[in-house]
Amino acid sequence: MFDPAPEYVADKQKNKTQAYDFLIRVRNAALHYEVYGDNRIELINKCCDYLENLQDRLHTKIWPKGQREPLEEFQDVFQLLIYAIADSGFLFDSNGYFLDEPAAYHTEKLLFPSPWDTSVKSYHEVAFAMRRRNYAHLELQAIRKHLDEHNKQSQQYETYAMSEEISTANQTQCIIDMMTRCSMHCHIAIYPRDYTLNEIQQIAAVRNTIRQDRILKKVEPFMMFMLLSGKVRCSNIQSAADVKSLLKPNKTLFQQRNVAEDCKLFSEIIKWYNDNGDIELTDGHRLFDPYALINGFKQFGDLKMTKQEHVNLAHLCEDCFREPTKKKEFAGYTQKLHGVEIGEIMKAIFQLIDAQNRSIDDTIQPREWNATIKTLQKAEILPLNVSPGLKGSKLLNMIGKKYFIEQYSFAWEAFWLITQYTPPPLFDWKQNYTIKGWPPRSYELYALCAEHLTTALDFIYGAFAEDCDQLSLYPELRFDIAKVQRIFADPKKTAPLRKQLLIDIRFWKIQAGGKNLPQLLADKCWSAFEELSASSKDAKLKSLRQYPEIMKYAMADEVMRQLCAETYAKVFHLLVSMNQYLWPIT
């Protein structure tokens, strides 16, 4: 895989050289995989088509068993897609065309960063979001595995809905409040009056049982979504196996026609949890990121490791999630943090993880518990006065806060992974999906891709389409424009035209030097109109003769909107289908 984007350094000549080398590597990689396009919109479309064909051809072989990363071919093309989506003027100009030379300059002004700084930051943000999605996928798998273990350890799951435990008045009122909020803000009718008191008490009892278990508590918002949406009833949740079956994709339960309703409902449930102080269940889940944790040991301790040793140790940590027996390989890492070998420290941290994962109530500790606490205290990771009686989850949270391990919304990550939905149009889930600070910024994969892709497509649309929707136009002319645009809005009828446009856009740069692009597109649409409107009475509109310039620019406007919309949809369709293959880019 070709190297990632270079960081800016103080040497101007070195900057210019490494930036130009990076541009050449990106171009050569695109040519090698036959996805090259002079304009980024062509590159994005070709990368999506290539990856979809690769998936159809190889299926699960994209990520071979026993390998910690997918095929290099997949990584390279996906990385090209990231650069095409997230670039902010470093590789591409405002019209979307590849620059002859990258924008290799730097500015110290924080409010006005250079295209290089902004682009590299954007690349990194998308890479980190992919890592979080990968870890969320692994954690979801771990939850299903731990549910099996819990089922063997305890008979707690003999029944949920039919439990003899009666929910308290306060627990029942919580369910009523949640239903009331959802009924006010969603199109789904979830009115408490439509439920009997016994039905509401059953839902409250299920929620209470879920909240008593640390593993199930991670997916509590999702389980409430399943109950309130009517996808599952309390009587269907009788065992750990029933819960496990709900935590994986199911096309019968999650149908595309319900995307908007389901996303809105889940969003309101998340807001209810946030308003009631349960942010830990929504946005406060602390991610075990070995790369960030080791980096914290290096920054805030005296750990000395090379970059390669850093990556190798992080890889071993990831492998230990899949194969716990690999923890014995930690013995090979003898670098020390405050006098304690890093291998022993990582073994101790995995003891905390195992303790919280394997015990029903998070208080049953393994035999090596006291030795684990002493190891972490000696390495100055935990304070000397920490109580060994604290839960494993509490201790991990203390470590995460000390070393600035990022928090992320596991609730939303799990929702996207299980439902296989893409965010519906005009649905704003990103307001709950930001890192605190000024200004707030999105950090989840779909949110970042939506933000960067929308910005890129807006620039491309602005370069090729000219706004003809002026208030000075006569009502009759506006009506004729709408009729013509309707012809070009047909996605099936205009598919060949849009495909040809991706090719023409490449040559227009040579033909017009990046100028008069709206004129070239308008002329192309005007010549295509006769064929597209052959069977339509709208081909004889008077406005076509009276205002040909306005009409053809209106055609071009709609075609460009369709091309950008198609590109946006293609990217998100690909992201959904590739969730299981996203790997933690180092």
Side-chain angles (χ1 to χ4, degrees):
M1 186 173 68
F2 56 87
D3 297 330
E7 300 280 359
Y8 187 88
V9 295
D11 189 329
K12 289 186 178 181
Q13 185 56 43
K14 184 177 180 181
N15 274 329
K16 187 175 181 180
T17 302
Q18 67 177 2
Y20 185 75
D21 288 346
F22 175 66
L23 174 63
I24 296 302
R25 290 200 304 274
V26 170
R27 282 182 161 178
N28 288 344
L31 289 168
H32 174 73
Y33 291 108
E34 299 180 353
V35 296
Y36 181 80
D38 272 333
N39 196 287
R40 67 198 295 184
I41 196 170
E42 182 184 2
L43 179 60
I44 290 171
N45 277 273
K46 284 187 173 182
C47 284
C48 288
D49 292 339
Y50 188 99
L51 291 170
E52 287 180 356
N53 291 335
L54 186 68
Q55 186 182 32
D56 291 341
R57 190 170 79 247
L58 298 179
H59 300 290
T60 56
K61 292 180 182 178
I62 287 178
W63 196 319
K65 286 186 177 181
Q67 300 295 319
R68 66 163 310 279
E69 290 183 341
L71 294 174
E72 185 174 330
E73 178 183 3
F74 173 81
Q75 292 187 51
D76 285 352
V77 179
F78 203 95
Q79 197 164 342
L80 286 170
L81 180 62
I82 292 175
Y83 294 146
I85 290 173
D87 186 79
S88 298
F90 180 44
L91 299 177
F92 303 92
D93 64 20
S94 59
N95 293 342
Y97 288 109
F98 262 114
L99 291 166
D100 295 328
E101 291 188 3
Y105 65 91
H106 178 69
T107 176
E108 299 296 335
K109 297 179 181 179
L110 295 177
L111 294 179
F112 302 98
S114 70
W116 186 343
D117 297 324
T118 306
S119 297
V120 171
K121 180 183 176 183
S122 299
Y123 304 154
H124 288 178
E125 285 179 342
V126 175
F128 293 151
M130 287 173 58
R131 186 190 299 176
R132 282 187 281 269
R133 182 61 52 86
N134 174 257
Y135 289 164
H137 176 68
L138 293 177
E139 187 150 3
L140 202 54
Q141 288 181 322
I143 288 173
R144 293 198 290 262
K145 179 181 177 182
H146 296 318
L147 285 174
D148 284 340
E149 295 175 359
H150 282 20
N151 204 26
K152 297 173 184 176
Q153 292 177 18
S154 172
Q155 297 302 313
Q156 178 180 352
Y157 301 95
E158 285 182 359
T159 178
Y160 285 158
M162 305 306 291
S163 171
E164 294 181 1
E165 178 183 5
I166 304 298
S167 60
T168 65
N170 184 52
Q171 292 164 350
T172 302
Q173 186 59 44
C174 283
I175 299 301
I176 293 174
D177 292 344
M178 191 185 300
M179 287 178 168
T180 302
R181 180 184 183 115
C182 292
S183 64
M184 290 174 60
H185 298 282
C186 301
H187 297 299
I188 305 174
I190 309 175
Y191 300 109
R193 65 174 181 267
D194 295 334
Y195 292 78
T196 65
L197 179 61
N198 183 55
E199 289 173 330
I200 295 176
Q201 287 176 335
Q202 284 184 354
I203 295 174
V206 170
R207 177 172 178 259
N208 189 43
T209 305
I210 290 172
R211 292 178 73 84
Q212 292 176 8
D213 183 272
R214 202 202 69 82
I215 298 299
L216 282 180
K217 194 174 180 181
K218 289 183 180 180
V219 293
E220 179 187 331
F222 183 78
M223 293 302 298
M224 296 310 300
F225 159 75
M226 296 296 285
L227 289 167
L228 295 186
S229 65
K231 297 183 188 299
V232 65
R233 296 183 178 277
C234 294
S235 56
N236 300 133
I237 308 176
Q238 297 290 326
S239 66
D242 294 332
V243 177
K244 179 184 174 183
S245 67
L246 299 175
L247 302 181
K248 55 186 178 181
N250 186 320
K251 290 184 179 180
T252 302
L253 289 177
F254 310 114
Q255 299 183 19
Q256 287 301 312
R257 66 170 182 264
N258 299 325
V259 170
E261 292 178 352
D262 286 353
C263 288
K264 182 61 177 174
L265 174 60
F266 190 72
S267 177
E268 291 304 322
I269 291 173
I270 294 296
K271 290 176 185 176
W272 183 89
Y273 275 103
N274 288 342
D275 292 346
N276 284 271
D278 275 333
I279 195 169
E280 181 184 343
L281 296 176
T282 55
D283 293 320
H285 187 80
R286 197 162 292 280
L287 169 68
F288 177 73
D289 184 341
Y291 299 95
L293 184 61
I294 297 166
N295 192 56
F297 291 157
K298 291 165 69 176
Q299 282 189 331
F300 304 106
D302 59 355
L303 179 64
K304 305 296 182 185
M305 297 186 83
T306 65
K307 287 185 178 180
Q308 190 57 53
E309 289 171 338
H310 184 154
V311 171
N312 291 342
L313 180 56
H315 286 179
L316 178 56
C317 291
E318 293 172 351
D319 293 339
C320 288
F321 279 109
R322 303 181 183 92
E323 300 178 49
T325 56
K326 286 201 169 188
K327 281 182 282 188
K328 61 186 178 183
E329 296 180 22
F330 282 131
Y333 291 87
T334 57
Q335 300 90 339
K336 293 185 178 181
L337 174 65
H338 300 301
V340 183
E341 292 184 356
I342 188 63
E344 288 299 313
I345 292 171
M346 299 311 293
K347 281 179 65 177
I349 289 174
F350 269 88
Q351 284 283 2
L352 298 186
I353 295 171
D354 288 344
Q356 67 173 2
N357 285 343
R358 293 181 178 276
S359 60
I360 293 295
D361 59 5
D362 202 20
T363 58
I364 304 172
Q365 315 299 7
R367 295 177 184 176
E368 305 87 354
W369 186 253
N370 288 333
T372 295
I373 301 299
K374 287 180 180 179
T375 297
L376 296 175
Q377 288 174 330
K378 186 177 179 181
E380 300 181 20
I381 295 171
L382 289 176
L384 294 174
N385 62 351
V386 71
S387 170
L390 281 178
K391 296 180 179 182
S393 55
K394 294 286 185 184
L395 295 174
L396 277 175
N397 204 42
M398 289 172 62
I399 295 171
K401 286 181 178 179
K402 181 176 180 180
Y403 294 102
F404 295 93
I405 309 303
E406 287 188 11
Q407 290 177 292
Y408 76 125
S409 179
F410 178 71
W412 272 109
E413 295 279 0
F415 178 80
W416 298 128
L417 286 167
I418 296 169
T419 62
Q420 298 288 289
Y421 287 156
T422 57
L426 303 180
F427 171 63
D428 184 14
W429 77 103
K430 297 185 285 295
Q431 57 186 340
N432 296 329
Y433 230 151
T434 57
I435 293 177
K436 292 181 179 179
W438 187 89
R441 60 187 178 90
S442 302
Y443 65 97
E444 180 264 344
L445 182 62
Y446 290 167
L448 283 169
C449 287
E451 184 179 306
H452 293 312
L453 189 57
T454 300
T455 301
L457 293 176
D458 279 346
F459 274 111
I460 294 172
Y461 166 78
F464 285 88
E466 192 166 293
D467 186 13
C468 62
D469 189 8
Q470 302 296 327
L471 296 178
S472 59
L473 298 181
Y474 301 124
E476 294 80 6
L477 177 57
R478 293 178 61 83
F479 186 49
D480 285 351
I481 288 174
K483 290 179 180 179
V484 170
Q485 287 185 326
R486 184 178 179 181
I487 295 173
F488 283 90
D490 188 329
K492 292 183 179 179
K493 185 182 290 186
T494 57
L497 173 61
R498 294 195 304 276
K499 188 175 181 180
Q500 181 61 39
L501 278 179
L502 290 175
I503 300 172
D504 292 341
I505 284 173
R506 179 189 303 181
F507 296 105
W508 288 346
K509 180 185 180 183
I510 303 171
Q511 180 181 345
K515 299 178 181 179
N516 299 321
L517 295 175
Q519 178 71 48
L520 292 170
L521 178 61
D523 290 342
K524 176 74 177 180
C525 294
W526 184 261
S527 61
F529 177 70
E530 184 177 351
E531 180 182 350
L532 291 172
S533 63
S535 58
S536 173
K537 60 182 180 181
D538 295 330
K540 299 180 180 179
L541 292 172
K542 290 182 179 179
S543 297
L544 292 170
R545 298 191 304 273
Q546 294 175 327
Y547 308 103
E549 288 296 311
I550 293 176
M551 297 300 283
K552 69 181 181 181
Y553 277 111
M555 298 172 191
D557 177 82
E558 184 58 39
V559 167
M560 206 61 210
R561 288 180 186 274
Q562 282 289 339
L563 180 58
C564 291
E566 181 184 44
T567 302
Y568 187 96
K570 186 178 288 187
V571 168
F572 272 87
H573 175 76
L574 177 79
L575 290 175
V576 170
S577 64
M578 294 293 179
N579 267 325
Q580 59 185 316
Y581 305 124
L582 300 182
W583 76 105
I585 297 178
T586 52

